[in-house]
Amino acid sequence: MPSLIFTVFLLQVMIGLVNTVGASTINNLFWMLYGRMPTRISGAVREQRRLQREVLMLRTEMNSTSSQDQFARWAKLRRQHDKAFTQYEKISLSVNASRASFEGLFTVARWLSINGLRIFIQFWYAKRAIFWIPQGWVPGYVEWLLAFPKAPRGSVSIQIWGLACASIISLVIAVVLAVYHQLVQGPKQPKFMAAAGTPRATAKSTTSSAGKDL
């Protein structure tokens, strides 16, 4: 069943990516995409960003204006700042409420489309053989283990196939992350070597200090 094999593998890849990247990061990414779409909330998000920039600009300009020497200008900036900040707080409450609702619905939809679908497939195809192994290749107890819990003897069950895919994907992700960190950060010298220095350098510094004492 190539389609079922690929489906289980793809679900495990998505689960591995979610666990690696983080659910909150994915929620933030899709919220940003949703905010740029032509929806009702997109206008509120743009207005929130505009008011935030305006508040920061007025605050910077107000801080650079002397309240004693330029009181009239400072008072005008203060009124504009307070008005913009009040509008920003008001629209932020609406945007934050919409965001909380969106993230809740998106989290449920993501779980149902990935983990929920995986659980359903494993339950529905529990008695189906994903693929068969040649007879006599493995001992009898291994055949029973590969067919666990309800697949025919001599086959690989969907649960075991999913477990194997998850293990391989986790290993590949760990290797990729290790290589990435190695390329970005570069090789690091152990702390004890950095603190103690090389034996040759230590001996040289000791000799030079002894010569100065003489």
Side-chain angles (χ1 to χ4, degrees), residues 128-133 143 145-148 151-157:
R128 188 76 60 88
I130 298 297
F131 55 86
W132 296 86
I133 57 177
E143 288 186 352
L145 182 63
L146 293 177
F148 183 84
R153 190 73 173 268
S155 66
V156 176
S157 66

Side-chain angles (χ1 to χ4, degrees), residues 9 92 180:
F9 179 79
S92 294
Y180 173 77

Side-chain angles (χ1 to χ4, degrees), residues 32-98:
M32 292 175 57
L33 295 176
Y34 180 73
R36 297 180 181 275
M37 296 174 62
T39 57
R40 179 184 59 85
I41 194 62
S42 61
V45 172
R46 288 194 298 269
E47 182 66 14
Q48 182 192 30
R49 293 171 181 169
R50 187 192 68 82
L51 288 172
Q52 184 180 19
R53 291 193 299 267
E54 183 178 354
V55 168
L56 293 176
M57 182 185 65
L58 290 172
R59 185 175 299 173
T60 302
E61 190 174 358
M62 187 175 61
N63 291 334
S64 62
T65 303
S66 175
S67 60
Q68 296 178 355
D69 300 337
Q70 298 175 303
F71 179 77
R73 176 177 171 79
W74 182 87
K76 181 179 179 181
L77 292 173
R78 179 59 184 269
R79 288 193 299 269
Q80 293 176 352
H81 172 270
D82 293 344
K83 180 180 178 181
F85 186 73
T86 301
Q87 294 176 351
Y88 171 75
E89 284 187 329
K90 182 179 179 180
I91 198 170
S92 294
L93 292 175
S94 175
V95 171
N96 292 337
S98 300

Side-chain angles (χ1 to χ4, degrees), residues 153-214:
R153 190 73 173 268
S155 66
V156 176
S157 66
I158 190 171
Q159 284 82 2
I160 299 301
W161 172 246
L163 183 62
C165 291
S167 301
I168 294 175
I169 291 168
S170 299
L171 180 61
V172 171
I173 291 177
V175 172
V176 171
L177 291 178
V179 173
Y180 173 77
H181 289 302
Q182 186 71 14
L183 292 176
V184 172
Q185 299 178 359
K188 291 185 177 181
Q189 188 179 15
K191 293 183 178 180
F192 69 91
M193 292 183 62
T198 58
R200 182 178 298 177
T202 306
K204 185 176 180 181
S205 60
T206 304
T207 306
S208 60
S209 62
K212 291 180 179 180
D213 294 338
L214 293 174

Side-chain angles (χ1 to χ4, degrees), residues 9-30:
F9 179 79
L10 182 61
L11 288 175
Q12 293 297 338
V13 169
M14 296 175 67
I15 292 174
L17 291 177
V18 171
N19 293 335
T20 303
V21 176
S24 60
T25 303
I26 296 177
N27 289 346
N28 292 336
L29 175 61
F30 276 87

